[in-house]
């Protein structure tokens, strides 16, 4: 135990704060266990918790714990709905093209406009979330995108531009949720419990994405009209927003006073100088590029492959076949879960061999994923089953770096700068990744079709040639992770040194 003693000037006496040594506390991360380093933020958090706890009412603690877990559960369900709504459009993309008479570039524009508006609105809601009632902002965001999505199901076929506009508005509503909800969970829990709850929250990405394909295609098949697929998530969103208002507590923001001496400009400058952070953020952008493009176009690509193989008839009128969206949605749910477990387990084992395990495991996963993504386009020409197997392997390896990337950021960025680092990394990954990849793939596909004869074969080949850009981008991401490995130890040591400096007392130190 190390005690910091100050002269107590201004308080009328001396004071003494005791801080546990690094070996006294341990922090569980997704990919392993690391020693917990006590920072001034932890000291302040302990003071706040001890001040707010009253030993006279111990019986209420289990109820408080259950209430916080229930709140985290509601927030996680809301995140599932965000991604479900986002990928419902991809599940009925072929029907949308048939209904509005748009080509691949127009269909890709739906997702690109959504991501662009999401990307621009996220920093604004982050600013508002630091200053106003977060629970109210979250609920208003859910209600807003639910109403807009429901209204978009009634747009006439001659107003495709209006559908594009509504997807942009939905992106604004969903940005409020994805930006603020994790901060509420972060203030409700501490240390190991916080890691667990945030893991559940972020697992909603593959789960919600897969359910979006499944829900969109299933509801369309049952109702006989693709527009009913856009009316499911709004109903669930209104219910979730109401539950959020009722059951999620208005938690206090953690340690805002610790950041008063820091400036946003200084944080940004230091992050740009952090080479491990920069390269890992660029690698994350390549993952976002690939997942955005593949998630939007793979179901349609495999449908066109089956038309060429003459195993299905070309769709001339809606509703069209939903089989590929259903299968791809199920694969996305399963591979997301397996990928997180695989990445965490591989990193934990490799840390016994090398201290650079985190970026190296990510690099191997990316390079392996690129191989299987390439094989998808080879297998699709003759066998849809073989193509699905390659998709399963490629997505599992691609998703394996999610948890590891988050852990790396915690290693190389000091605690008082992590929120800014996460926000900047999210903005960069969307800007360089899925903000433009769906439209770019559709644009390249249309460009190839314009120079060839119109036929089902060239519709299939042109989209496949365009999607071949994805494995090359994934390989580039693997190179970025290898570059991260070069500077990882140095930047981690630098972060640990800065934390130690933050802990240095202004007066004497007694051991």
């Amino acid at each position: 135990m190390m005690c910091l003693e100050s002269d107590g000037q201004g308080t009328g006496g001396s004071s003494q704060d005791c801080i546990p040594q690094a070996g006294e506390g341990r922090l569980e991360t997704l990919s392993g266990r690391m020693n917990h380093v006590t920072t001034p933020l932890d000291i302040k958090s302990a003071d706040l918790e001890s001040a707010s706890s009253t030993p006279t009412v111990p019986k209420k603690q289990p109820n408080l714990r259950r209430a916080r877990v229930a709140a985290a559960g509601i927030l996680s369900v809301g995140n599932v709905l965000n991604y479900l709504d986002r990928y419902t459009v991809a599940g009925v993309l072929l029907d949308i093209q048939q209904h509005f008479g748009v080509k691949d570039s127009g269909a890709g524009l739906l997702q690109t406009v959504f991501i662009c508006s999401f990307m621009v609105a996220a920093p604004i809601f982050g600013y508002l979330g630091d200053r106003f009632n977060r629970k109210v902002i979250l609920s208003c965001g859910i209600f807003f995108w639910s109403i807009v999505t429901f209204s978009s199901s009634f747009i006439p076929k001659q107003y495709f531009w209006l559908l594009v506009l509504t997807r942009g508005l939905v992106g604004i509503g969903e940005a409020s949720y994805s930006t603020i909800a994790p901060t509420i969970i972060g203030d409700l829990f501490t240390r190991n419990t916080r890691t667990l709850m945030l893991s559940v929250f972020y697992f909603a990405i593959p789960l919600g994405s897969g359910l979006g394909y499944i829900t969109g295609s299933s509801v369309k098949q049952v109702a006989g009209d693709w527009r009913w697929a856009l009316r499911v998530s709004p109903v669930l969103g209104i219910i979730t927003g109401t539950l959020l208002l009722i059951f999620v507590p208005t938690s206090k923001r953690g340690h805002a006073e610790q950041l008063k001496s820091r400036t946003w400009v200084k944080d940004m400058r230091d992050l740009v100088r952090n080479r491990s952070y920069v390269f890992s953020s660029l690698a994350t952008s390549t993952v976002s590029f690939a997942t955005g493009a593949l998630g939007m176009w793979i179901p349609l690509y495999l449908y066109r492959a089956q038309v060429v193989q003459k195993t299905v008839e070309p769709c001339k009128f809606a509703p069209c076949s939903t089989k590929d969206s259903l299968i791809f949605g199920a694969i996305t749910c399963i591979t997301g879960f397996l990928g997180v477990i695989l990445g965490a387990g591989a990193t934990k084992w490799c840390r016994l061999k090398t201290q650079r395990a985190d970026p190296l495991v990510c690099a191997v996963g990316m390079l392996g994923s690129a191989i299987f993504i390439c094989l998808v386009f080879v297998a699709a020409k003759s066998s849809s089953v073989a193509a699905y197997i390659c998709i399963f392997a490629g997505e599992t390896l691609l998703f394996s770096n999610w948890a590891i990337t988050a852990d790396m950021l915690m290693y190389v960025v000091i605690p008082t700068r992590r929120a800014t680092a996460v926000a900047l990394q999210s903005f960069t990954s969307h800007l360089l990744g899925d903000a433009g990849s769906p439209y770019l793939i559709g644009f390249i596909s249309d460009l190839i079709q314009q120079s060839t004869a119109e036929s089902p074969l060239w519709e299939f080949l042109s989209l496949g040639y365009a999607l071949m850009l994805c494995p090359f981008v994934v390989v580039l991401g693997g190179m970025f992770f290898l570059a991260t490995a070069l500077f990882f130890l140095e930047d981690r040591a630098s972060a640990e040194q800065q934390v130690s400096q933050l802990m240095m007392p202004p007066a004497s130190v007694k051991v």
Side-chain angles (χ1 to χ4, degrees):
M1 184 76 70
M2 180 176 69
C3 296
L4 306 182
E5 180 177 273
S6 61
D7 57 10
Q9 292 179 357
T11 63
S14 62
S15 61
Q16 202 174 53
D17 292 320
C18 293
I19 306 173
Q21 295 285 3
E24 296 179 30
R26 300 181 74 83
L27 175 65
E28 285 287 340
T29 66
L30 286 172
S31 55
R33 177 178 292 176
M34 58 181 288
N35 289 334
H36 175 70
V37 180
T38 304
T39 69
L41 298 183
D42 296 318
I43 301 171
K44 184 64 178 178
S45 178
D47 293 341
L48 291 174
E49 290 177 0
S50 61
S52 61
S53 61
T54 55
T56 58
V57 287
K59 295 182 179 179
K60 291 186 179 180
Q61 292 303 318
N63 293 333
L64 178 60
R65 189 180 300 111
R66 284 194 293 268
R68 289 177 174 177
V69 171
I74 295 173
L75 291 169
S76 298
V77 170
N79 204 30
V80 171
L81 288 178
N82 274 341
Y83 281 88
L84 186 151
D85 177 80
R86 184 181 303 187
Y87 284 96
T88 296
V89 171
V92 294
L93 186 62
L94 182 58
D95 296 271
I96 292 177
Q97 286 186 290
Q98 293 286 346
H99 181 78
F100 290 98
V102 295
K103 296 184 177 181
D104 291 346
S105 57
L109 192 62
L110 292 172
Q111 188 75 351
T112 294
V113 169
F114 173 91
I115 294 297
C116 287
S117 63
F118 181 98
M119 176 184 66
V120 172
I124 298 175
F125 283 111
Y127 177 88
L128 296 176
D130 283 338
R131 290 157 178 81
F132 301 99
N133 191 308
R134 293 176 291 182
K135 185 168 70 171
V136 173
I137 296 175
L138 284 182
S139 299
C140 290
I142 292 179
F143 294 146
F144 178 76
W145 71 250
S146 297
I147 294 172
V148 173
T149 299
F150 187 83
S151 302
S152 67
S153 66
F154 298 98
I155 295 176
K157 62 175 61 179
Q158 62 269 30
Y159 294 105
F160 177 72
W161 64 269
L162 190 56
L163 180 64
V164 174
L165 176 62
T166 58
R167 294 311 297 172
L169 295 176
V170 170
I172 295 175
E174 292 189 14
S176 66
Y177 198 93
S178 299
T179 305
I180 298 175
T183 66
I184 296 180
I185 295 178
D187 288 337
L188 289 176
F189 304 96
T190 58
R191 297 177 182 173
N192 296 340
T193 309
R194 177 187 296 174
T195 301
L196 175 62
M197 293 302 172
L198 286 175
S199 302
V200 174
F201 180 83
Y202 283 114
F203 176 62
I205 297 176
L207 179 62
S209 302
L211 290 177
Y213 292 103
I214 296 172
T215 302
S217 55
S218 300
V219 171
K220 179 199 70 173
Q221 194 72 14
V222 172
D225 188 344
W226 66 270
R227 285 171 288 199
W228 279 98
L230 300 181
R231 298 166 187 170
V232 175
S233 57
V235 175
L236 299 176
I238 295 295
I239 296 173
T240 303
T242 304
L243 293 175
L244 193 152
L245 279 175
I246 297 173
F247 293 105
V248 175
T250 307
S251 58
K252 294 182 180 180
R253 295 171 179 85
H255 324 304
E257 67 278 3
Q258 297 290 336
L259 302 176
K260 288 181 180 178
S261 61
R262 306 189 62 83
T263 64
W264 182 81
V265 174
K266 185 179 187 304
D267 283 340
M268 296 293 289
R269 184 176 65 248
D270 290 341
L271 287 174
V272 171
R273 293 174 178 174
N274 189 324
R275 291 168 293 184
S276 295
Y277 173 77
V278 170
F279 282 120
S280 63
S281 296
L282 291 174
T284 304
S285 299
T286 64
V287 176
S288 181
F289 182 99
T291 54
L294 296 174
M296 188 71 176
W297 292 112
I298 280 294
L300 181 59
Y301 173 73
L302 293 178
Y303 161 78
R304 291 180 178 179
Q306 294 171 66
V307 171
V308 173
Q309 298 167 16
K310 301 187 183 303
T311 56
V312 299
E313 293 294 327
C315 180
K316 301 297 183 182
F317 304 98
C320 300
S321 174
T322 62
K323 183 183 69 172
D324 296 296
S325 293
L326 283 170
I327 296 175
F328 186 75
I331 289 176
T332 301
C333 291
I334 297 172
T335 55
F337 177 72
L338 293 178
V340 171
I341 295 178
L342 175 65
T347 304
K348 186 175 182 179
W349 181 80
C350 289
R351 281 177 179 171
L352 302 175
K353 311 295 182 181
T354 174
Q355 296 185 46
R356 304 179 192 269
D358 297 64
L360 291 177
V361 169
C362 288
V364 172
M366 293 287 281
L367 297 176
S369 176
I371 296 174
F372 284 103
I373 293 175
C374 283
L375 292 177
V376 170
F377 307 113
V378 177
K381 296 178 180 179
S382 57
S383 173
S384 297
V385 175
Y388 280 124
I389 293 174
C390 294
I391 290 172
F392 188 95
E395 281 197 337
T396 300
L397 292 172
L398 191 63
F399 295 157
S400 66
N401 61 60
W402 281 353
I404 312 173
T405 304
D407 276 349
M408 282 195 295
L409 186 145
M410 300 301 169
Y411 281 129
V412 300
V413 177
I414 62 174
T416 54
R417 197 176 291 144
R418 287 173 183 167
T420 301
V422 172
L424 178 60
Q425 189 173 83
S426 176
F427 178 86
T428 304
S429 65
H430 286 307
L431 178 64
L432 302 179
D434 54 355
S437 63
Y439 176 77
L440 179 62
I441 297 302
F443 177 78
I444 295 174
S445 176
D446 283 348
L447 200 62
I448 296 174
Q449 290 185 53
Q450 289 176 5
S451 59
T452 59
E454 184 175 349
S455 67
L457 176 61
W458 274 108
E459 288 181 353
F460 163 69
L461 292 176
S462 62
L463 186 55
Y465 291 147
L467 285 169
M468 279 295 293
L469 179 63
C470 293
F472 289 101
V473 173
V474 172
V475 169
L476 182 62
M479 297 297 105
F480 284 137
F481 275 125
L482 290 176
T484 303
L486 295 177
F487 306 105
F488 180 66
L489 298 181
E490 179 183 343
D491 291 331
R492 185 176 68 177
S494 176
E496 292 172 352
Q497 182 180 5
Q498 292 181 64
V499 171
S500 300
Q501 291 174 353
L502 288 174
M503 293 174 59
M504 291 295 292
S508 60
V509 179
K510 289 185 178 181
V511 180

